[in-house]
Amino acid sequence: MSNARTARLSRRGLLAAGGVLGLGAALAACGDDDAKSGGSASKKGADSGPWSFKDDRGTTVELDKVPANIVAFTGVAAALYDYGIKVKGVFGPTETKDGKADVQAGDMDISKVTILGNVWDQFNVEKYATLAPDVLISTMFDDTGTLWYVPEASKDKIAKLAPSVGISVYDRQLTGPLQRMWELAESLGGDMKAAKATDAKKRFEAASERLRKAVKANPGIKVMAGSASQEIFYVSGTNLSIDLEYFKALGVDFVEPPEKAKAEGGGWFESLSWENVDKYPADIIMMDDRTSAIQPADISEATWKKLPAVKAGQVIPRSSEPILSYDKCVPVVERLAEAIEKAKKVS
């Protein structure tokens, strides 16, 4: 992505095109985001109504019965799938060029869902209508209520076909959106008392405690969150990103670009040329694992290969858009905990 093109993109476009994103109510020792999450849900059985859910825009969706025909952003659909809720259609990164499931599709069998759009600004409204949707669900990466991956040009047509639910993943800790997705899944008929769900929540809490202890046991380790495109290396600050805000609350020491440097990236990230990729010293580098970003194994820039963390093999994946189920967020936390436990001070 060239600097000129970057300047022309909207903030949403910047985030989707490979800029570093973030990955609730935090664990008690990490603070409480209840004030930010808001909302509530109610239902009367998985197969009968009425059904209502108050989303993070403060909008309450009310239906005569629990939604059966659900269309969702791919990552949301993947989270609901982990709680036993299946959707009919998805939009957002779902299928890779070789026909495999995108990382954001989680454990879903993508051959059993209708893909309405696989890339940014793609959404087949006509096909969406044929699904007779009861509700559309997506995340939100700003405070204006903008639904992620719903195209600006067709949002009004889409809105006329079914009510929508928005779960905020903006400027809060990971545990808030996790809890909100849990509430949403429960309202849709998910069995949240099932061992699969409750065990995953316990494992997440254990992983979080492991990360907290790892930071204390190996102090001074500096972590940088990065994302790679052909011409630009993005460095994310912890502010706004749900995963980084949570990790910081657990004690992780991150590279923090100054606010002025992040202005072009809407406050999310600083854009660096590959010649300046060594601007910030780091012992561990977390790299954006989305298919929109170049993966570490495919980076050929000499300046990248000279970075101390790269030479030391201290580069790990980062789920910039974590799937909001506890099961999928356990490895997100454990991966960083293990990296800090094993890290050597190289910066």
Side-chain angles (χ1 to χ4, degrees), residues 306-318:
K306 291 179 181 179
L307 293 177
V310 176
K311 293 172 70 175
Q314 295 178 173
V315 177
I316 63 172
R318 175 194 172 206

Side-chain angles (χ1 to χ4, degrees), residues 174-188:
L174 175 61
T175 39
L178 274 172
Q179 180 60 30
R180 293 293 284 141
M181 193 63 69
W182 176 285
E183 294 167 0
L184 177 59
E186 185 174 33
S187 79
L188 293 169

Side-chain angles (χ1 to χ4, degrees), residues 159-286:
K160 290 178 181 178
L161 295 171
S164 62
V165 167
I167 299 297
S168 180
V169 289
Y170 175 75
D171 194 18
R172 61 202 64 210
Q173 294 178 26
L174 175 61
T175 39
L178 274 172
Q179 180 60 30
R180 293 293 284 141
M181 193 63 69
W182 176 285
E183 294 167 0
L184 177 59
E186 185 174 33
S187 79
L188 293 169
D191 183 0
M192 313 316 285
K193 294 182 180 179
K196 180 181 179 182
T198 58
D199 289 352
K201 194 170 185 178
K202 291 177 182 177
R203 288 188 292 112
F204 176 82
E205 292 168 352
S208 298
E209 184 59 26
R210 177 184 175 184
L211 177 55
R212 192 199 312 275
K213 290 180 178 179
V215 172
K216 291 182 178 179
N218 195 4
I221 297 299
K222 180 73 76 171
V223 180
M224 179 167 66
S227 184
S229 70
Q230 186 174 356
E231 297 179 20
I232 301 293
F233 184 83
Y234 305 92
V235 179
S236 178
T238 57
N239 188 34
L240 305 183
S241 298
I242 59 173
D243 61 328
L244 303 185
E245 284 199 13
Y246 184 56
F247 296 153
K248 183 179 180 180
L250 291 171
V252 178
D253 185 13
F254 281 97
V255 167
E256 296 281 5
E259 291 302 316
K260 185 176 181 180
K262 294 187 296 180
E264 185 180 1
W268 292 85
F269 54 84
E270 177 181 0
S271 302
L272 299 176
S273 66
W274 283 103
E275 289 78 11
N276 295 315
V277 74
D278 61 351
K279 179 177 180 178
Y280 299 108
D283 303 298
I284 295 172
I285 302 176
M286 303 172 66

Side-chain angles (χ1 to χ4, degrees), residues 299-347:
I299 299 176
S300 59
E301 302 290 339
T303 49
W304 163 261
K305 296 179 179 180
K306 291 179 181 179
L307 293 177
V310 176
K311 293 172 70 175
Q314 295 178 173
V315 177
I316 63 172
R318 175 194 172 206
S319 298
S320 301
E321 292 184 57
I323 294 171
L324 297 173
S325 72
Y326 285 102
D327 180 70
K328 292 299 179 292
C329 285
V330 168
V332 169
V333 181
E334 287 184 334
R335 190 163 55 209
L336 181 55
E338 182 179 10
I340 291 177
E341 289 168 349
K342 295 180 178 180
K344 295 180 181 179
K345 185 68 178 175
V346 295
S347 65

Side-chain angles (χ1 to χ4, degrees), residues 95-209:
E95 186 176 26
T96 61
K97 293 179 180 179
D98 57 4
K100 296 180 180 179
D102 188 274
V103 63
Q104 294 190 62
D107 294 333
M108 283 193 302
D109 183 346
I110 62 172
S111 69
K112 295 183 179 180
V113 294
T114 299
I115 301 175
L116 302 173
N118 198 56
V119 297
W120 181 256
D121 225 22
Q122 182 184 86
F123 192 113
N124 190 319
V125 181
E126 290 74 21
K127 188 180 290 187
Y128 176 56
T130 66
L131 297 178
D134 294 320
V135 67
L136 178 148
I137 310 171
S138 190
T139 49
M140 300 181 297
F141 278 93
D142 59 31
D143 56 3
T144 67
T146 303
L147 297 174
W148 192 232
Y149 267 81
V150 173
E152 186 71 22
S154 55
K155 67 177 184 178
D156 292 340
K157 292 181 180 178
I158 293 168
K160 290 178 181 178
L161 295 171
S164 62
V165 167
I167 299 297
S168 180
V169 289
Y170 175 75
D171 194 18
R172 61 202 64 210
Q173 294 178 26
L174 175 61
T175 39
L178 274 172
Q179 180 60 30
R180 293 293 284 141
M181 193 63 69
W182 176 285
E183 294 167 0
L184 177 59
E186 185 174 33
S187 79
L188 293 169
D191 183 0
M192 313 316 285
K193 294 182 180 179
K196 180 181 179 182
T198 58
D199 289 352
K201 194 170 185 178
K202 291 177 182 177
R203 288 188 292 112
F204 176 82
E205 292 168 352
S208 298
E209 184 59 26

